[in-house]
Amino acid sequence: MKKAVIYISVALAIIVVILIGGSFYMLQYSLGPNPARLDADRAYKELFTYYPETVEWMDSLRRINALHDTVLTMPQGYQCHAYYILTGSNRTALVIHGWRDVPIKYFYLARIYERELGYNVIIPDVYAHGKSDGDMIRMGWLDRLDMLRWLETFKTDTMVVHGVSMGGATTMMLSGEKMPSGIKDIRFVDDCGYTSVWDEFAGELKNQFGLPEFPLMHSTSLLCQLLYDWNFDEASSIKQVRKCRYPMLFIHGDSDTFVPTEMVYRLFAAKRGPKELWITKNTDHAHSYKNHRADYIRHLQKFLRPNR
């Protein structure tokens, strides 16, 4: 009997150690920043390869010194970097990049808003990305509060928040908050964002490692709460979308497996008030503009039309 107790205790201790180790590994795997976050040359090369229409546009911005950098100190004391383009318009677009990415790769969206739609554009480095402070990614949840600060700093009468992938989730998480006073018209564009961090990580845990949610998702979420003061369950786009009363356009590829297409249908159903849904054909994750350039711009023009 005594030996059995010892064996059981040892086995439980081994399981606990493995679970703790697995939780630390999963947290670092999913939230660790990109080691190449400061490699601007690499980012520009990728931008120009996939979106060659941005080459001439970037050259024109540089000739007139229209692309600027700024740094904003958040209430918690850390600093976040952003690029911005001011056109003198009373309309401003806040563009939010994806997981482990940098704003440079999303200048194709900045081009659409500046050249095609006549907006000012602000594109922040999300916390723990690019030139911003931070050593662990927050998957949009705490970042939504940083985005409120960017909205306040670059506030104009009309604003749109447009995010892709994790940026799409950040956009939706932001949409459930109270917007800064003085903005007369604000709209949101979610391009392939996830329903929640829990759903996204649980799906990848199964797809990449063949593991169920229990117990690793639970222990890793708890570890995230203890170390970084947020957890996977509370980081929910769908809960925030339910609170949003502003117009929202949902865009998602019909062949997306990284953020499964079925997520956007649940998000769309949860959204009350003005909303539109566009499922792009033969499109995987985050490539709706790449595959459907003209239609993408037309959908934005229609969605952002004043007094619609």
Side-chain angles (χ1 to χ4, degrees):
M1 184 67 178
K2 186 176 180 179
K3 287 185 177 180
V5 171
I6 294 174
Y7 291 151
I8 292 172
S9 299
V10 170
L12 289 174
I14 292 172
I15 291 171
V16 169
V17 169
I18 292 173
L19 191 58
I20 293 174
S23 299
F24 273 101
Y25 174 82
M26 182 179 172
L27 211 57
Q28 181 61 43
Y29 180 86
S30 55
L31 304 184
N34 187 342
R37 62 193 277 190
L38 295 175
D39 191 345
D41 290 340
R42 179 177 176 181
Y44 274 115
K45 182 178 180 180
E46 183 173 323
L47 172 73
F48 295 152
T49 297
Y50 288 112
Y51 308 103
E53 67 271 23
T54 60
V55 175
E56 182 274 331
W57 176 72
M58 286 297 305
D59 287 342
S60 69
L61 291 180
R62 288 166 176 156
R63 280 195 300 270
I64 61 175
N65 195 30
L67 180 64
H68 304 281
D69 293 73
T70 188
V71 173
L72 188 61
T73 301
M74 299 301 170
Q76 299 84 350
Y78 57 82
Q79 293 187 320
C80 287
H81 167 268
Y83 299 95
Y84 69 92
I85 306 164
L86 298 182
T87 66
S89 173
N90 68 343
R91 298 176 294 176
T92 300
L94 172 63
V95 175
I96 310 175
H97 65 75
W99 179 72
R100 303 187 89 200
D101 260 337
V102 290
I104 292 170
K105 295 182 183 180
Y106 295 77
F107 280 171
Y108 68 89
L109 284 176
R111 176 187 172 276
I112 294 172
Y113 279 104
E114 190 273 336
R115 175 158 291 187
E116 304 287 345
L117 301 174
Y119 279 64
N120 307 307
V121 186
I122 173 74
I123 317 183
D125 279 312
V126 176
Y127 183 86
H129 293 78
K131 299 177 183 179
S132 291
D133 289 345
D135 55 3
M136 290 298 273
I137 296 170
R138 306 183 301 186
M139 300 305 295
W141 182 237
L142 300 183
D143 304 308
R144 79 195 194 285
L145 304 178
D146 292 349
M147 298 306 128
L148 279 174
R149 297 281 293 181
W150 287 116
L151 286 177
E152 181 66 44
T153 302
F154 285 84
K155 182 169 56 179
T156 51
D157 288 347
T158 299
M159 305 196 78
V160 58
V161 183
H162 187 144
V164 181
S165 191
M166 186 187 80
T170 309
T171 295
M172 291 185 285
M173 291 171 182
L174 169 63
S175 75
E177 300 298 322
K178 182 180 179 181
M179 295 299 110
S181 61
I183 302 175
K184 297 178 181 178
D185 184 345
I186 187 164
R187 307 181 190 193
F188 296 87
V189 181
D190 156 49
D191 186 336
C192 65
Y194 38 80
T195 49
S196 70
V197 173
W198 185 285
D199 291 346
E200 179 62 18
F201 283 179
E204 286 302 293
L205 187 64
K206 181 179 179 180
N207 293 338
Q208 294 194 38
F209 302 100
L211 295 174
E213 293 183 18
F214 183 82
L216 193 55
M217 279 291 299
H218 299 266
S219 59
T220 308
S221 180
L222 175 60
L223 183 62
C224 187
Q225 180 70 57
L226 293 173
L227 294 178
Y228 306 115
D229 201 29
W230 67 276
N231 62 72
F232 301 164
D233 186 57
E234 70 176 334
S236 172
S237 304
I238 201 164
K239 291 178 183 177
Q240 291 290 94
V241 161
R242 288 193 183 106
K243 298 189 292 181
C244 176
R245 298 297 181 268
Y246 305 103
M248 184 173 293
L249 170 62
F250 297 87
I251 303 171
H252 216 108
D254 66 350
S255 304
D256 195 340
T257 56
F258 187 67
V259 177
T261 307
E262 62 85 15
M263 286 189 179
V264 76
Y265 294 108
R266 287 192 277 145
L267 289 161
F268 186 73
K271 171 71 172 72
R272 300 176 185 175
K275 59 183 177 180
E276 295 180 18
L277 173 63
W278 179 36
I279 304 297
T280 55
K281 301 297 183 183
N282 303 312
T283 299
D284 58 358
H285 185 63
H287 288 149
S288 288
Y289 174 71
K290 178 174 175 287
N291 294 353
H292 304 275
R293 282 167 162 80
D295 286 341
Y296 201 102
I297 294 172
R298 279 196 292 269
H299 273 82
L300 288 180
Q301 289 172 329
K302 177 186 173 187
F303 176 69
L304 297 173
R305 190 177 301 143
N307 302 319
R308 56 183 299 279

